[in-house]
Amino acid sequence: TLKFAKCGDELVNFLDLMTEDEQFTRKIDLGIVYVNQKSIDQYTIVDGLNRIISLSLLLHAVCECYKKTTKQNESAIKTIRSKYLLHKSKMKLRLYGKDAEIYAKIINGERLNGHEKETPMFKLLHNFWVQIKEEKLQAASIFKMLQKICITVVETEDVSKRI
């Protein structure tokens, strides 16, 4: 197992962790994400949101870097976007406030203004793009690395139900 992807209040560059294992043999443990179930298909992330945002941005960066390259990559991109990022035209990860606006713009491929490009969210996405290009990471290698990611999801009791 590669070192645990800790982030505290910061977003994490998972590519740094992934590329440490050049043969892609070890799993990448993103730790525990705590959730409360709100409905049959909706959860609130209690702890681990930054890791989920970071992973979503990595998935988006991979999709953007390899779009229109091969039919196989297009198929993988379509799967990633529909399985992890979007349900029809809605974000699967719903954030609030300014983060929601910036995340939606990023995932939908909309132009960000100068202030939005200074946010940690965009900076991490940009770092993913640069790293994929500079290290000349092949799509197949990244897809193989992505398969090594594991997250433990623990459902917690909604505090409001205990009162």
Side-chain angles (χ1 to χ4, degrees), residues 15 18-19 24 28 141-149:
L15 279 178
M18 293 174 157
T19 56
F24 318 119
I28 300 166
S141 297
I142 292 180
F143 294 139
K144 191 174 181 181
M145 286 188 279
L146 291 171
Q147 291 174 347
K148 299 292 182 177
I149 293 175

Side-chain angles (χ1 to χ4, degrees), residues 90-141:
K90 289 187 177 182
M91 305 294 120
K92 285 198 173 187
L93 181 59
R94 296 195 186 123
L95 303 174
Y96 296 97
K98 212 59 168 151
D99 285 342
E101 292 175 33
I102 294 168
Y103 182 76
K105 281 185 171 183
I106 288 171
I107 300 301
N108 289 320
E110 297 173 17
R111 187 173 298 283
L112 277 70
N113 65 37
H115 178 70
E116 292 167 333
K117 289 181 179 179
E118 294 301 316
T119 63
M121 202 178 295
F122 179 80
K123 286 181 179 179
L124 179 61
L125 176 67
H126 186 263
N127 287 341
F128 285 145
W129 286 332
V130 169
Q131 194 169 359
I132 288 168
K133 297 297 183 186
E134 283 182 355
E135 295 185 23
K136 296 182 174 120
L137 297 171
Q138 299 297 312
S141 297

Side-chain angles (χ1 to χ4, degrees), residues 3-15 17-18 28-35 45-60 84-85 93 95 103 121 124 128 146 149-154:
K3 63 179 137 181
F4 177 71
K6 294 181 186 173
C7 67
D9 291 336
E10 297 180 15
L11 299 174
V12 179
N13 186 337
F14 295 123
L15 279 178
L17 295 175
M18 293 174 157
I28 300 166
D29 185 358
L30 301 189
I32 299 171
V33 173
Y34 293 93
V35 300
I45 299 172
V46 177
D47 182 52
L49 181 60
N50 284 336
R51 284 173 279 153
I52 298 299
I53 292 171
S54 298
L55 183 56
S56 296
L57 292 173
L58 172 59
L59 292 173
H60 177 70
Y84 300 109
L85 300 176
L93 181 59
L95 303 174
Y103 182 76
M121 202 178 295
L124 179 61
F128 285 145
L146 291 171
I149 293 175
C150 63
I151 300 172
T152 303
V153 178
V154 175

